[in-house]
Amino acid sequence: MTDFVIPPPPQPSVAVANSEARFPVRRIFCVGRNYAAHAREMGRDPDREPPFFFTKPADAVVDDGAIVPYPPETANFHFEGELVVAIGKGGRNIAEADSLSHVWGYAIGNDLTRRDQQLAARELGRPWDWGKAFDRSAICGPLHPVAAIGHPASGEIRTEVNGAIRQQADLKDLIWSIPEVIAILSRSMELRPGDLIYSGTPAGVGALQSGDICMVAIERLGSVTTTIGPPED
Ligand code: MN
């Protein structure tokens, strides 16, 4: 038994549908601009870019139903509804044809973003972390095991704020499919069990305010609801 000088941090985890057990989170990878209409609304040409990635800390995960305080140091706090892929079997240089066998399950995610910080960083050639990797920035609903739902490659993805539809697209509109994303990511990083991949958001991203209720739904996966609370003292 290792003797730690301070108590070790708790293992971050996400819920599993119809189970008391939870899925331990190791790392969070996110794909940037993976729907053409969203790439265009962010001022980029979707046709010329290979996929790129950014990360969030594992302990940024937040369960369905939570209240997330309006985060500090932003005046433009955005929702991004996304399909989340949970890796159950690790690997390097995973072949695209074999990549889905590495998936444990799928969940609905909301890649919360301090858009003003992200765009300022982009402008200045600085890292995106302050825009993307802040506390409680990774909403993740219950994971649905592949054994129960298979591999969703199409189906509606929809985000509502206070009941009004803000994003509405189909998973088949992903520029880079889930098998492609896993194969490409595993060339740069050895994937490990517990890794989550946020697969990108459709067009329609927008701002949230304290008091807003943000719901993301994906066909066959149900929905995930987050309430934005007042800023913390
Ligand atoms: Mn995103």
Side-chain angles (χ1 to χ4, degrees):
M1 268 280 282
T2 308
D3 206 11
F4 293 108
V5 296
I6 60 168
Q11 169 66 55
S13 65
V14 295
V16 172
N18 306 311
S19 173
E20 291 298 307
R22 294 179 64 88
F23 182 90
V25 179
R26 184 169 186 275
R27 290 174 297 186
I28 302 174
F29 297 103
C30 305
V31 187
R33 297 192 283 264
N34 202 16
Y35 289 84
H38 174 62
R40 282 186 214 103
E41 79 181 348
M42 295 301 289
R44 290 293 188 266
D45 179 349
D47 298 328
R48 277 187 305 191
E49 275 193 333
F52 69 95
F53 300 89
F54 58 90
T55 60
K56 294 177 186 253
D59 66 0
V61 286
V62 175
D63 283 331
D64 176 31
I67 298 173
V68 170
Y70 195 93
E73 301 288 326
T74 185
N76 197 16
F77 175 46
H78 277 204
F79 57 83
E80 293 193 355
E82 309 200 3
L83 175 68
V84 178
V85 182
I87 298 295
K89 188 176 88 181
R92 297 168 43 242
N93 296 319
I94 297 167
E96 193 184 314
D98 186 39
S99 63
L100 291 182
S101 71
H102 293 257
V103 177
W104 191 87
Y106 296 89
I108 297 169
N110 194 340
D111 167 18
L112 297 177
T113 301
R114 294 193 286 210
R115 190 72 68 202
D116 40 4
Q117 298 246 14
Q118 182 205 9
L119 295 181
R122 191 173 91 176
E123 201 66 31
L124 294 166
R126 290 178 181 167
W128 279 17
D129 304 45
W130 259 228
K132 285 291 195 179
F134 53 97
D135 296 338
R136 288 167 291 203
S137 57
I139 309 296
C140 189
L143 274 173
H144 297 262
V146 168
I149 62 143
H151 298 280
S154 66
E156 187 191 52
I157 175 168
R158 188 176 81 251
T159 305
E160 298 179 5
V161 179
N162 304 327
I165 296 176
R166 304 293 295 275
Q167 297 184 287
Q168 193 166 28
D170 196 289
L171 297 177
K172 68 174 160 40
D173 298 332
L174 282 168
I175 296 171
W176 300 94
S177 69
I178 301 305
E180 289 171 323
V181 165
I182 291 170
I184 292 167
L185 179 55
S186 75
R187 291 178 206 153
S188 291
M189 297 277 190
E190 178 176 357
L191 291 179
R192 300 285 183 85
D195 290 339
L196 298 181
I197 305 171
Y198 282 60
S199 59
T201 199
V205 297
L208 294 166
Q209 312 297 339
S210 294
D212 282 350
I213 296 172
C214 185
M215 190 275 294
V216 184
I218 295 180
E219 218 171 304
R220 290 196 288 160
L221 299 184
S223 65
V224 162
T225 301
T226 306
T227 301
I228 309 306
E232 285 182 312
D233 292 335

